[in-house]
Amino acid sequence: EIVLTQSPGTLSLSPGERATLSCRASQSVSSSYLAWYQQKPGQAPRLLIYGASSRATGIPDRFSGSGSGTDFALTISRLEPEDFAVYYCQQYGSSGTFGQGTKVEIK
Amino acid sequence: EVQLVQSGAEVKKPGESLKISCKGSGYRFTSYWIGWVRQMPGKGLEWMGIIYPGDSDTRYSPSFQGQVTISADKSISTAYLQWSSLKASDTAMYYCARHGLVGVIRDAFDIWGQGTMVTLSS
């Protein structure tokens, strides 16, 4: 089973700053089958990025995904107040597994 | 509107059985894989397994194989997650979610249900 490790565990930033979240896989993720989700308290997760770098429908272009193989990243170019949340990566190339999450909190 | 609507919260005792549901609407239910995701209190997301309602082809995470059963009734556009004997550690929020592409097994979850909270209490 592919294990995904996200870092950092918590990211403390101010609105307007740039956020970079990392997701590292224990083995190569085939065909960039890597997604990112956002989850706010009391809500279901929301798909942000699929295929490592494609934005889902309705996702603002301040969210971007990159990477291949075992190293992936989610970048939020300028944090808006509504972006403070927990973010999860998921690989779906071999069964499906999630990372443990990165919390983006207001500094 | 494409949506998944899950059954309501449950409070059960250890050893009891349970079946929770996820009803799809606004799309061809038989053509998209549907999965289940567990979230224990204060914890992250765990991929449990997926089912293709068109032919009931089902895949499980090794962590959940034998612990739960995923099924679907295409006549009523509903997927299910069931336990034969609940444990205290099954206390969690359970989400159903749909793959984004028709018939594609390797895909992200683009539509999510609202979640079903299962609480075990002796």
Side-chain angles (χ1 to χ4, degrees):
Chain A
E1 185 175 86
I2 297 177
V3 176
L4 300 179
T5 302
Q6 293 187 239
S7 61
T10 302
L11 201 48
S12 298
L13 295 168
S14 301
E17 289 194 293
R18 181 184 186 91
T20 302
L21 289 64
S22 172
C23 177
R24 178 162 290 177
S26 59
Q27 54 189 283
S28 183
V29 177
S30 58
S31 301
S32 295
Y33 289 134
L34 195 286
W36 290 92
Y37 300 85
Q38 176 193 68
Q39 188 179 34
K40 297 180 181 179
Q43 296 184 17
R46 176 174 73 143
L47 177 66
L48 300 175
I49 301 287
Y50 63 94
S53 60
S54 297
R55 270 188 301 277
T57 302
I59 302 303
D61 60 7
R62 64 179 181 273
F63 290 92
S64 63
S66 62
S68 64
T70 60
D71 289 296
F72 299 87
L74 174 71
T75 299
I76 310 171
S77 58
R78 286 178 57 85
L79 283 163
E80 297 289 340
E82 62 269 27
D83 298 337
F84 291 92
V86 179
Y87 293 84
Y88 295 94
C89 59
Q90 181 213 7
Q91 69 80 22
Y92 48 92
S94 172
S95 184
T97 50
F98 289 92
Q100 83 279 18
T102 290
K103 182 179 181 180
V104 179
E105 65 175 23
I106 300 177
K107 186 174 181 181
Chain B
E1 179 192 6
V2 175
Q3 59 179 351
L4 298 172
V5 178
Q6 298 185 229
S7 50
E10 301 273 1
V11 179
K12 306 292 283 187
K13 290 180 167 50
E16 292 185 328
S17 62
L18 176 65
K19 192 173 190 177
I20 62 175
S21 67
C22 169
K23 183 173 177 62
S25 62
Y27 72 98
R28 187 183 294 265
F29 183 76
T30 52
S31 297
Y32 293 79
W33 289 81
I34 283 188
W36 289 93
V37 176
R38 182 174 79 174
Q39 188 166 39
M40 299 175 77
K43 302 299 183 183
L45 305 174
E46 299 174 88
W47 191 95
M48 301 177 72
I50 52 174
I51 187 166
Y52 189 69
D55 62 7
S56 292
D57 185 6
T58 308
R59 312 294 171 90
Y60 292 94
S61 161
S63 300
F64 291 93
Q65 179 85 49
Q67 307 304 307
V68 296
T69 301
I70 294 171
S71 60
D73 184 340
K74 60 186 178 183
S75 69
I76 55 172
S77 300
T78 301
Y80 301 97
L81 178 66
Q82 68 180 93
W83 296 259
S84 59
S85 181
L86 288 158
K87 302 187 282 288
S89 58
D90 291 320
T91 292
M93 180 72 81
Y94 294 88
Y95 293 101
C96 66
R98 193 201 76 168
H99 279 184
L101 298 174
V102 170
V104 175
I105 189 171
R106 291 188 179 87
D107 199 10
F109 293 124
D110 76 332
I111 302 294
W112 291 69
Q114 82 278 18
T116 296
M117 185 67 207
V118 174
T119 303
L120 276 289
S121 176
S122 54

